Amino acid sequence: MLRFIYTLLLSIVSPILIYSLYKKKEGKPAFGRRWKEHFGCTPSLNTTQAPIWIHAVSVGEAIAAVPIIKALKKQNPQQPILVTTTTSTGAEQIEKLGDLVEHRYMPIDFCFAVRGFLKATKPEKMLIMETELWPNTLHTVAKFGIPISVLNARLSEKSFLGYKKVQPIFNLLGKHLTHVCCQYKDDADRFVALGIQPEKVHVTGSVKFDIEITPQIQESGVILRKQLGEDRPIWIATSTHKGEDEQVLAAHRSLLHKIPNALLILVPRHPERFNSVFELCQGADFKTIKRTSNQTLTPDCQIYLGDTMGEMLTLIGASDICFMGGSLLGDKVGGHNVLEPIALNVPTITGPSYFNFSEIVNTLIAHEACVVTTKDNLSVSLLSLLTNQESATKLASNAFQFLQRQQGAIERTIKILKLTNGAK
């Protein structure tokens, strides 16, 4: 009865969800004729062997899935892997893996759509990145006899309290899960408190710690730094959101009063905002150059706009200091992954709103490995690190050592997946 009510409500609100999904935005890839896949009209795979199905809803989950995909393929190069995303930006991220995987769009959470998908793809197991749980999808997948595991799972206190209010619905979700591989003990405790059997819940750590910095990435950062200017101070504000860019620009303007040749690399979180942020910078009278313009950077350039996808590590690697965006907007976003700059040995600053990464950031703070600042003090924090090399080096070193101690989540996750019986 609960699923019937849920499905009825989903039918009512689905036109709004679909409109939001398909709404055209600048920089957002179009679905084209593949929109049918959202309704279970899924093309068959180019293999007769049952694939491992990994669902990564959008860009963040897709990025987190990449090291797991590579580990699975290293373990068994012949194993087909199918990756689904809901969004076209997530699909764009997966396409970078080339022939390593096949991609399909995730069907909307109607039983008929999920059944169509399963009949076309015939997966041996389903791996869900983080906590993307849908009642009809889990019900239908389990009915087909396919084991379901949640990887890199997070469950914040806020989400936990939300699920507690609709405990019967969560019970529908939880009973179908084979394994829940959590990032931290607090996450695991919350899943158990919601009724997941303790033997199904594991603490594997966050796969975000298992960041691979290849020699190619390091070299690309060095090359870019030479192009931008080896002798000028450079800081990057990455994954910024609407309403946050203005605060970053204000901090940069203040910094320029103290260090006139400082350069800001500004990287908006969402590609559809690249042009509007460029216009914002120009409207604020900053000499700004887009990365895609391929213009030679002149000494009077004040902002370098990172308007490309997939080059985040290169841009961070060319910087002296990294400010992680999504952290100056109160409780709207909750921060982004500070571990990428740390893996590159770049001193890292975040704003006060980092609840999505609270355990990581709080531990970094305790180890004197990260700076937390407000919008009003951002320029002060930047100036302090840019003018005190010893302090900046110590901050980066403490953070890098912390990162190394936390690695191994992928290996632990793969071991648990080996316990999952893939037979249908």
Side-chain angles (χ1 to χ4, degrees), residues 142 316 329:
I316 293 173
L329 298 173

Side-chain angles (χ1 to χ4, degrees), residues 244-273:
E244 193 169 41
D245 303 290
E246 293 85 350
Q247 299 171 24
V248 167
L249 294 182
H252 189 53
R253 191 181 301 281
S254 179
L255 183 66
L256 289 171
H257 289 308
K258 303 289 184 180
I259 309 178
N261 68 331
L263 176 69
L264 164 63
I265 301 175
L266 181 57
V267 188
R269 176 73 174 179
H270 301 107
E272 60 267 24
R273 296 185 54 245

Side-chain angles (χ1 to χ4, degrees), residues 224 228 235-238 240 245 248-249 263-282 287-295 297 301-309 311 315:
L224 178 58
L228 298 180
W235 71 288
I236 184 170
T238 183
T240 59
D245 303 290
V248 167
L249 294 182
L263 176 69
L264 164 63
I265 301 175
L266 181 57
V267 188
R269 176 73 174 179
H270 301 107
E272 60 267 24
R273 296 185 54 245
F274 287 159
N275 287 336
S276 62
V277 173
F278 179 68
E279 293 170 0
L280 177 68
C281 295
Q282 287 190 313
K287 173 65 175 176
T288 307
I289 291 179
K290 288 183 178 182
R291 178 158 175 74
T292 54
S293 72
N294 294 317
Q295 289 179 252
L297 201 78
C301 179
Q302 298 167 313
I303 296 177
Y304 187 68
L305 185 69
D307 60 338
T308 58
M309 296 290 287
E311 291 194 305
L315 295 168

